[in-house]
């Protein structure tokens, strides 16, 4: 045990105690989480076909597709509304409400998303989601359609933690040993995004690649200025390993 003492700005004293041991990690150690792999994503999607209800299959497929193709945080996927999906069909860009930015004039961002992904989610909205919502209203479980894309069996807005819980259930059912937390989809997305951006800028002969990359990442990922270099540095230091993802 060690004790550090010092002076406060107001002239007082302070004392902090902490422990050091060879088995304890150093304070500066950063834990790196690897991106979820393609085989794991494929296994999760395949396992859904073994579930009993079409509603659950299609809803969970929407969850996995949004995590994979938008790079959104779990809470951001949770906030997607059906109107956002229909708008994305028109524009090719999905609006996400940025979770980790405070006191800004525009708390949302738009990310490009494929037509096939949006069309599949619209299929879920039109059939399975609508059928469950209608039944929930008829039985008095809910008063009206709240408009959120992800719902539970009672027609209510699905909880944020339920997204992680559902993925964990699929993972166990598929016998997957690799971690499959929602945020690992975000790591995968930014890994592929960085590779594409670097290649595109290099091909175009843009000299100041670092600033260009960071501006695009901040726009698409909803990051602050100080967060972006961390991901870029990790990407550059492990670029050979990323190619297999």
């Amino acid at each position: 045990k060690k004790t550090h003492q010092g002076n406060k700005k107001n002239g007082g004293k302070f004392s902090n105690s902490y422990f050091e041991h060879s088995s304890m990690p150093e304070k500066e150690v950063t834990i790196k989480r690897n991106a979820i792999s393609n085989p794991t994503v494929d296994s999760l999607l395949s396992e859904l076909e073994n579930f009993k209800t079409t509603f659950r299959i299609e809803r969970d497929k929407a969850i996995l597709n949004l995590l994979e193709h938008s790079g959104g945080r779990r809470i951001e996927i949770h906030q997607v509304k059906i109107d956002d999906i229909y708008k994305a069909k028109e524009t090719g860009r999905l609006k996400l409400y940025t979770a980790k930015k405070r006191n800004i004039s525009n708390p949302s961002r738009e990310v490009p998303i494929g037509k096939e992904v949006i069309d599949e989610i619209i299929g879920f909205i039109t059939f399975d989601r609508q059928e469950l919502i209608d039944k929930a209203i008829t039985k008095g479980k809910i008063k009206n359609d709240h408009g959120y894309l992800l719902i539970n069996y009672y027609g209510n807005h699905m909880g944020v933690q339920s997204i992680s819980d559902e993925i964990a259930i699929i993972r166990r059912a598929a016998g997957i040993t690799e971690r499959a937390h929602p945020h690992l989809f975000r790591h995968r997305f930014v890994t592929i995004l960085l590779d594409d951006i670097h290649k595109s800028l290099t091909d175009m002969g843009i000299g100041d690649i670092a600033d260009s990359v960071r501006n695009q990442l901040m726009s698409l990922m909803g990051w602050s200025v100080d967060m972006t270099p961390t991901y870029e540095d990790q990407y550059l230091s492990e670029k050979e390993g990323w190619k297999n993802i």
Side-chain angles (χ1 to χ4, degrees), residues 127-158:
F127 299 105
D128 306 286
R129 183 189 180 281
Q130 189 61 54
E131 181 181 358
L132 193 144
I133 286 290
D134 289 343
K135 287 181 179 179
I137 292 174
T138 300
K139 294 180 179 180
K141 294 179 179 178
I142 58 174
K143 292 183 178 180
N144 49 48
D145 189 345
H146 43 68
Y148 286 103
L149 172 67
L150 302 177
I151 60 175
N152 59 23
Y153 280 108
Y154 300 100
N156 295 312
H157 188 193
M158 187 178 187

Side-chain angles (χ1 to χ4, degrees), residues 20-190:
E20 281 189 355
H21 190 274
S22 58
S23 64
M24 297 176 68
E26 296 181 11
K27 188 176 181 179
E28 298 298 324
V29 170
T30 299
I31 299 175
K32 294 182 180 179
R33 294 182 173 88
N34 294 324
I36 193 168
S37 67
N38 280 337
T40 296
V41 174
D42 291 342
S43 295
L44 290 170
L45 288 168
S46 296
E47 183 59 34
L48 288 179
E49 302 304 324
N50 295 323
F51 283 14
K52 293 182 179 181
T53 67
T54 305
F55 165 78
R56 189 177 183 185
I57 292 171
E58 296 303 322
R59 182 201 62 187
D60 289 4
K61 195 179 295 182
I63 292 172
L64 294 176
N65 279 331
L66 284 176
L67 289 170
E68 179 183 2
H69 295 285
S70 77
R73 300 175 177 92
R74 179 184 64 171
I75 181 64
E76 295 169 349
I77 299 303
H78 171 261
Q79 292 296 313
V80 171
K81 292 192 171 184
I82 56 177
D83 287 346
D84 298 326
I85 298 297
Y86 284 116
K87 187 68 174 179
K89 183 174 177 61
E90 298 175 6
T91 64
R93 302 181 71 86
L94 177 66
K95 182 170 75 173
L96 295 176
Y97 291 92
T98 303
K100 291 194 174 182
K101 284 191 176 182
R102 300 291 183 267
N103 301 319
I104 57 176
S105 58
N106 184 16
S108 66
R109 66 187 188 279
E110 292 186 348
V111 297
I113 193 161
K115 180 180 181 299
E116 297 81 3
V117 175
I118 292 299
D119 284 345
E120 190 165 9
I121 294 174
I122 287 177
F124 162 66
I125 293 171
T126 305
F127 299 105
D128 306 286
R129 183 189 180 281
Q130 189 61 54
E131 181 181 358
L132 193 144
I133 286 290
D134 289 343
K135 287 181 179 179
I137 292 174
T138 300
K139 294 180 179 180
K141 294 179 179 178
I142 58 174
K143 292 183 178 180
N144 49 48
D145 189 345
H146 43 68
Y148 286 103
L149 172 67
L150 302 177
I151 60 175
N152 59 23
Y153 280 108
Y154 300 100
N156 295 312
H157 188 193
M158 187 178 187
V160 179
Q161 182 57 42
S162 296
I163 295 175
S164 295
D165 294 342
E166 196 68 10
I167 293 176
I169 291 170
I170 303 169
R171 172 181 168 271
R172 287 193 296 270
I176 298 170
T177 56
E178 179 186 343
R179 293 186 67 211
H181 188 274
H183 206 74
L184 301 185
F185 285 84
R186 186 168 165 84
H187 283 286
R188 177 182 185 274
F189 182 88
V190 74

